[in-house]
Amino acid sequence: SIAYGAGGNGVGIGELLAEKYGFALTNNAVSGSTLVSEEGRGCISDRMLANTDEYDYVVFDGGFNDYGLGKPIGALNTGEYPYSSTPTNDTVVGALECIFQHMLINHPRTQMFMFMPHHINRVWGQQFAGGTWEDYYNAIISVCARYGVPMIDISKDGRMCTNFAAIKAYTANSDGIHPTKEGYEIF
């Protein structure tokens, strides 16, 4: 929903940047998506693995809905590639490994970026079934580091921190999660 632009009525960060810098944008984001594959949900890994289009850049986010739904984090494959087991998209780490391997093998010229959303309320220490957001965040960073996928880390480097009521006001219905158009402009 954050990449899609749910709080901005379908206008998100991608649309604002495309307008500002004059590039063509295809926004394949779906509100409520998870990295982990789940029937009936707009799964990021399923969409990325089915992608046959060529893009110069692919920027995506994911993991926050997995955290909220308690999806398993998983662990990185060990050893040298090719690993003794093939990753599967039934954990957050496995889904990212599936995506990154697919893109590196099938779309080697496409530059990938992982986008981490803004600092959302006080979720860092909140424990859900799968762990804290910090656990998911660190797992995502470890997968990106292994595959050389740069992070666009708005939660650490952006100015959008919804711990503060004045900033939370720039989210849809002050939910602290879904930036409005003005909220996207802030970060």
Side-chain angles (χ1 to χ4, degrees):
S1 58
I2 293 171
Y4 167 72
N9 297 317
V11 176
I13 192 73
E15 287 77 12
L16 294 174
L17 291 172
E19 182 181 319
K20 182 174 183 171
Y21 295 107
F23 59 82
L25 172 74
T26 302
N27 188 342
N28 292 322
V30 175
S31 289
S33 291
T34 56
L35 290 166
V36 173
S37 185
E38 179 181 340
E39 185 79 25
R41 184 169 286 282
C43 176
I44 297 165
S45 58
D46 288 343
R47 286 196 314 277
M48 292 294 291
L49 295 174
N51 176 56
T52 58
D53 295 330
E54 292 296 329
Y55 298 106
D56 294 325
Y57 303 95
V58 171
V59 180
F60 63 97
D61 77 335
F64 192 77
N65 289 328
D66 297 272
Y67 156 69
L69 294 168
K71 300 296 182 189
I73 294 173
L76 283 168
N77 279 314
T78 59
E80 292 186 27
Y81 182 82
Y83 307 110
S84 59
S85 63
T86 303
T88 59
N89 62 354
D90 57 355
T91 68
V92 170
V93 169
L96 283 173
E97 287 203 274
C98 287
I99 292 167
F100 294 164
Q101 286 184 24
H102 169 79
M103 293 300 291
L104 289 168
I105 292 166
N106 297 296
H107 306 280
R109 296 185 190 281
T110 299
Q111 178 66 49
M112 292 181 289
F113 293 91
M114 183 72 187
F115 170 88
M116 296 300 276
H118 59 284
H119 193 89
I120 299 171
N121 293 342
R122 293 174 291 280
V123 299
W124 281 96
Q126 288 181 340
Q127 178 85 30
F128 285 130
T132 65
W133 171 239
E134 188 172 13
D135 296 331
Y136 284 80
Y137 175 90
N138 289 330
I140 291 166
I141 286 183
S142 70
V143 182
C144 290
R146 167 175 276 176
Y147 288 89
V149 175
M151 297 287 298
I152 302 170
D153 192 348
I154 303 302
S155 71
K156 297 277 181 151
D157 300 327
R159 299 179 333 181
M160 183 83 173
C161 179
T162 60
N163 284 340
F164 302 99
I167 299 299
K168 194 174 183 179
Y170 291 103
T171 59
N173 301 313
S174 294
D175 70 359
I177 298 172
H178 301 96
T180 60
K181 182 177 182 283
E182 294 80 13
Y184 285 108
E185 290 169 349
I186 288 171
F187 75 75

